[in-house]
């Protein structure tokens, strides 16, 4: 027969003191939720950055193909990714 393990735990697992407040993990406890327009802004930024990069390679932009237009497109995509990390 197996012996029960000895631990330093005083209270049974899954219990909490009577005075301790219950923790709630909801979006409202961490801040307000993003508006519905915020998701569309992220999609628009990612799409616009991709469109600039594609237009550069298709020579649709003035002076293209140049690395400056790629940097602009990647910058727009990066802003979209940064906004996506702030979306709630």
């Amino acid at each position: 027969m197996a012996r029960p393990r000895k631990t330093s735990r005083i209270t049974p697992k899954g219990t909490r003191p009577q005075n301790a407040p219950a923790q709630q993990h909801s979006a409202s406890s961490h801040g307000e939720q993003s508006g519905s327009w915020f998701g569309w802004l992220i999609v628009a930024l990612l799409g616009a950055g991709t469109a600039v990069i594609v237009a550069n390679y298709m020579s649709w932009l003035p002076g293209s193909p140049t690395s400056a237009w790629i940097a602009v497109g990647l910058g727009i995509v990066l802003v979209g990714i940064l906004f996506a990390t702030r979306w709630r």
Side-chain angles (χ1 to χ4, degrees), residues 1 4 7 11-12 14 17 25 29 35 38 41 57 63 70 72 74 78 82:
M1 184 170 355
T7 63
T11 59
H25 297 289
S29 66
F38 198 71
L41 177 65
Y57 283 113
I70 294 174
V72 169
L74 288 175
L78 179 63
L82 290 175

Side-chain angles (χ1 to χ4, degrees), residues 35-59:
S36 61
W37 58 272
F38 198 71
W40 290 110
L41 177 65
I42 294 168
V43 171
L45 286 170
L46 294 174
T50 304
V52 168
I53 293 171
V54 169
N56 178 51
Y57 283 113
M58 299 297 263
S59 298

Side-chain angles (χ1 to χ4, degrees), residues 24-32 88:
Q24 295 179 354
H25 297 289
S26 65
S28 62
S29 66
H30 296 292
E32 293 185 15
R88 294 189 184 247

